[in-house]
Amino acid sequence: MKTGQQPPALQVVMKEARRAIRPLIWFSAGINVLMLTGALYMLQVYHRVLSSHSLETLVMLSLMAAGALAAMAGLEVVRGRLLAKVGSWMNARLAPVLLTASVEYAASAPGQVNVRPLRDLDQVRNFFTSPSIFPILDAPWSPLFFAAIFLMHPWLGWLALGGGIVLFGLALLNEYLTRKPLTDAATAQTQAYGQAEAAIRNAEVVQAMGMLKPLMEAWKTQQDKANKGQVLAANRGGVISALARCHRLALQMAILGLGAYLVLRNEASPGIMISASILMSRALSPVEQAIGTWKATVGARAAYRRLAAVAGQHPEGTPVLPLPRPKGRFEVDSLVLARLGGEHILKGISFQLKPGEVMALIGPSAAGKTSLARVLAGAWRPSGGRALLDGMDVAQWAAEDRGRYVGYLPQDIELFAGTVSENICRFAQLDASTFKHVVRAAELAGVHELIKRLPKGYATEIGESGAALSGGQRQRIGLARALYGDPALLILDEPNSNLDREGEDALIAALSAIKAAGTTIILIAHRPNIMEKVDKILVLNRGQQDLFGPRDHVFNELAKRNGAVTQITAIAANQGVGAGPARRFTVRNSSPMSEIVAGSISGGDADAAQPPEWKKI
């Protein structure tokens, strides 16, 4: 439970970052004022030293100029360090928010993964610490230099101002001509990165099935598009930059020529002629630098806009008030899940479970079982309706608090680089007390002996995504992770899909133990022997709730619908399992929904019991 609504994180960070603006303004003002040193020194040398032939005056002017230049260098060092500090501080404040926002975005938009915000933050931070930001800081002080030139002579001032306007127009033209190519190139480069990451992530499949060449063709198409945009922008920017450089040099020659003309007319001194040239060069420097660094500026601006789209609506982390441990009462009310395009994945799912009840989630392929499991676990946010655990909406419950009471085993086992212990305890701080719970979860999942046989036991590094483990080992360790902390709600998505007979027996034993402890369990399963622990069944079909009720009632209803079910009453005795409820199996031409009828078994090996012409689950 969160303590209250907070303003967006980016808004808070930028508001606090404004505290650094005032020192930056003063440092930039001091640096630009001290940059007048060269022009003033030249002016004083011509006016005072050369006319008076005073060595003492020259020495004092030189010492004063050296002191001013040293002060300017010190201010530039401090300004650079302040910018680096702001960039580092912004990264430290926003990086956790962006990672959280990216995870929540993926949870709220099924099938959509946004991994770029952290890269964008790095780009913005690097912009703060690069020379690309200096034209932005120095440009507001250009009027100071133009004003100084006007004081020397109006003609010189108008010439410098006119040349500055032309140079500024070239900068605007550069932005106009390079904006679209750079934007298109960035979009194509992002798609190329995504394709490359997907190929590397699925390297085994790519290599085994010879998919590298066609994937490279698709990647090369995007890469060529990105390169084309980059080259086009670079060519246009290069032309504008060459014109700007040529214009500045011509303007420098023009102001020297005009100054010489004024000297010949006795309207200016040689010192004014040289000083005006120096001041004009400094006044136009930010504009010329901006043209040269425009690509970095455009990239940082686009990155900031993307950050605003992610962090601009996401609040910073707020203190979480822990709620009492739930008893396990679970209620789903009119749950709806839709894709971004509006297509419904789940429609109107409703059911209730008491503490300690076990519900099986069944249905044909693409019925929405896994999607529903993700919503119920809080991994995805529903588009409508609610899933309540002891009256608390799991979508609104703070994940760090809710996670203590909910165990989740996804269909695709997602382990992380680290040790077995760290994965089981969900990367909590590992101490003696935590390790005790780790071992307990492993024993409950029946994986303790397996872990002891690993090279370093619980300290074994499993590699990225558990690459050092087999599929069955990953699934059993994933089950132990789900059982860690004795959750009140346990959601298992095909927990026996990669298990052998030994692993499946351990799973059934674990389900019996945690059910006896009062844990509410929701599982997706397709093998019949796990159904003996089920109390209720929810049948999904095309995202809609088809049936819900006690196990035997649902199986009987499915059998009635199928109309082609044969009852076998002697199989339990023949297999040595003992008496139990009637076992039902469907014929090969039955509908997909009726296939699950085979799950109404109270024990034994259903696969071995079925005749070969009968279709099992």
Side-chain angles (χ1 to χ4, degrees):
M1 177 178 178
K2 297 184 179 179
T3 56
Q5 186 65 33
Q6 298 294 322
L10 190 62
Q11 177 183 334
V12 174
V13 170
M14 296 310 297
K15 183 177 180 181
E16 295 181 5
R18 293 191 185 100
R19 299 176 185 175
I21 293 178
R22 185 174 298 176
L24 283 173
I25 291 174
W26 286 112
F27 288 140
S28 298
I31 290 169
N32 282 273
V33 169
L34 291 173
M35 280 186 176
L36 295 170
T37 300
L40 294 176
Y41 178 76
M42 186 67 67
L43 193 63
Q44 293 303 314
V45 166
Y46 272 97
H47 282 188
R48 297 181 185 276
V49 175
L50 296 182
S51 61
S52 65
H53 298 278
S54 173
L55 181 60
E56 292 80 2
T57 302
L58 178 61
V59 171
M60 289 304 298
L61 285 174
S62 299
L63 290 175
M64 293 170 64
L69 292 176
M72 183 182 69
L75 289 176
E76 286 187 336
V77 169
V78 174
R79 184 176 69 171
R81 290 186 175 182
L82 180 59
L83 286 170
K85 188 71 174 178
V86 169
S88 177
W89 169 82
M90 182 179 292
N91 183 78
R93 285 290 301 274
L94 285 180
V97 176
L98 292 173
L99 182 58
T100 302
S102 298
V103 172
E104 293 189 358
Y105 174 78
S108 62
Q112 302 296 318
V113 178
N114 189 1
V115 296
R116 187 164 185 174
L118 292 176
R119 295 178 186 170
D120 289 335
L121 181 59
D122 284 338
Q123 189 171 0
V124 173
R125 181 190 61 186
N126 293 336
F127 179 76
F128 271 96
T129 58
S130 71
S132 303
I133 197 175
F134 292 148
I136 298 175
L137 296 174
D138 293 336
W141 306 103
S142 290
L144 174 66
F145 299 98
F146 286 120
I149 298 174
F150 269 103
L151 290 176
M152 292 178 179
H153 197 283
W155 287 12
L156 297 174
W158 285 116
L159 177 62
L161 183 60
I165 292 174
V166 172
L167 197 61
F168 183 71
L170 288 174
L172 293 179
L173 181 62
N174 179 69
E175 196 275 341
Y176 174 77
L177 293 177
T178 60
R179 181 198 310 159
K180 189 175 186 303
L182 287 176
T183 302
D184 293 343
T187 302
Q189 192 68 64
T190 300
Q191 294 178 355
Y193 280 140
Q195 291 173 343
E197 289 173 354
I200 296 172
R201 187 169 54 248
N202 300 284
E204 293 182 5
V205 174
V206 171
Q207 284 292 89
M209 304 182 70
M211 298 169 59
L212 183 58
K213 186 174 181 179
L215 287 175
M216 283 188 66
E217 290 296 328
W219 171 82
K220 191 174 183 300
T221 300
Q222 295 300 328
Q223 193 69 24
D224 289 345
K225 186 177 180 181
N227 291 337
K228 181 179 178 181
Q230 295 280 3
V231 170
L232 181 59
N235 289 340
R236 292 178 177 179
V239 171
I240 299 298
S241 182
L243 290 175
R245 189 178 299 108
C246 179
H247 172 73
R248 184 184 63 79
L249 292 174
L251 194 60
Q252 195 124 12
M253 294 170 62
I255 203 166
L256 283 172
L258 180 58
Y261 173 75
L262 294 174
V263 171
L264 292 177
R265 293 186 56 180
N266 293 321
E267 294 185 21
S269 66
I272 287 178
M273 177 184 69
I274 302 298
S275 299
S277 176
I278 296 174
L279 289 174
M280 190 199 65
S281 176
R282 178 56 200 165
L284 301 181
S285 178
V287 181
E288 187 179 8
Q289 289 179 10
I291 294 175
T293 61
W294 193 251
K295 179 180 176 181
T297 304
V298 170
R301 182 178 63 185
Y304 180 80
R305 288 175 177 172
R306 289 191 295 268
L307 288 181
V310 177
Q313 304 298 326
H314 196 280
E316 283 194 282
T318 54
V320 174
L321 299 178
L323 293 175
R325 177 184 174 83
K327 297 179 180 179
R329 187 179 70 258
F330 198 64
E331 179 181 358
V332 175
D333 181 22
S334 303
L335 198 68
V336 176
L337 180 67
R339 292 189 176 92
L340 289 180
E343 179 185 357
H344 281 79
I345 303 174
L346 299 171
K347 293 173 286 186
I349 309 299
S350 299
F351 63 87
Q352 292 182 354
L353 295 175
K354 298 177 182 178
E357 284 190 323
V358 181
M359 183 187 81
L361 190 56
I362 64 175
S365 298
K369 303 184 295 296
T370 294
S371 297
L372 179 57
R374 289 170 176 169
V375 174
L376 299 183
W380 285 359
R381 293 184 181 276
S383 305
R386 299 182 301 170
L388 306 175
L389 179 59
D390 275 26
M392 183 64 187
D393 192 338
V394 295
Q396 302 300 324
W397 198 340
E400 55 267 37
D401 187 38
R402 183 195 66 231
R404 296 187 299 147
Y405 310 125
V406 177
Y408 176 52
L409 179 66
Q411 187 177 35
D412 298 322
I413 309 302
E414 300 168 351
L415 300 181
F416 300 90
T419 65
V420 173
S421 297
E422 289 172 333
N423 274 272
I424 292 178
C425 72
R426 309 175 187 181
F427 285 85
Q429 187 67 34
L430 198 58
D431 52 25
S433 176
T434 303
F435 185 70
K436 181 179 178 181
H437 290 291
V438 167
V439 174
R440 185 176 186 279
E443 290 176 339
L444 190 58
V447 75
H448 176 67
E449 295 298 326
L450 183 152
I451 295 175
K452 288 198 303 182
R453 293 194 297 268
L454 294 176
K456 295 184 180 179
Y458 284 89
T460 301
E461 292 283 344
I462 65 173
E464 189 70 31
S465 301
L469 303 174
S470 68
Q473 288 173 329
R474 286 197 298 271
Q475 191 157 42
R476 295 177 71 178
I477 290 176
L479 177 61
R481 180 180 62 184
L483 296 176
Y484 175 79
D486 298 326
L489 173 66
L490 184 64
I491 299 175
L492 308 175
D493 191 347
E494 297 193 29
N496 55 350
S497 59
N498 293 316
L499 299 183
D500 55 13
R501 182 62 179 268
E502 178 186 353
E504 195 160 342
D505 290 342
L507 172 63
I508 294 174
L511 291 178
S512 299
I514 58 180
K515 178 182 180 181
T519 298
T520 304
I521 305 171
I522 299 174
L523 62 89
I524 301 173
H526 296 290
R527 297 185 185 176
N529 52 345
I530 202 173
M531 291 293 178
E532 64 176 289
K533 302 300 179 184
V534 171
D535 299 308
K536 294 181 178 179
I537 292 180
L538 172 64
V539 181
L540 289 183
N541 193 5
R542 296 181 181 179
Q544 292 183 314
Q545 182 170 324
D546 191 14
L547 284 173
F548 173 70
R551 180 191 63 181
D552 293 340
H553 171 77
V554 172
F555 282 151
N556 289 332
E557 181 63 27
L558 290 174
K560 291 178 183 177
R561 291 184 183 182
N562 185 61
V565 178
T566 303
Q567 272 197 315
I568 302 177
T569 57
I571 291 181
N574 293 338
Q575 296 297 318
V577 177
R583 303 174 182 236
R584 302 185 180 96
F585 300 90
T586 63
V587 295
R588 186 172 296 277
N589 63 354
S590 62
S591 65
M593 194 63 69
S594 66
E595 296 174 11
I596 201 65
V597 176
S600 60
I601 306 171
S602 61
D605 188 349
D607 297 352
Q610 299 181 57
E613 68 273 11
W614 291 44
K615 185 174 181 181
K616 63 183 179 181
I617 294 176

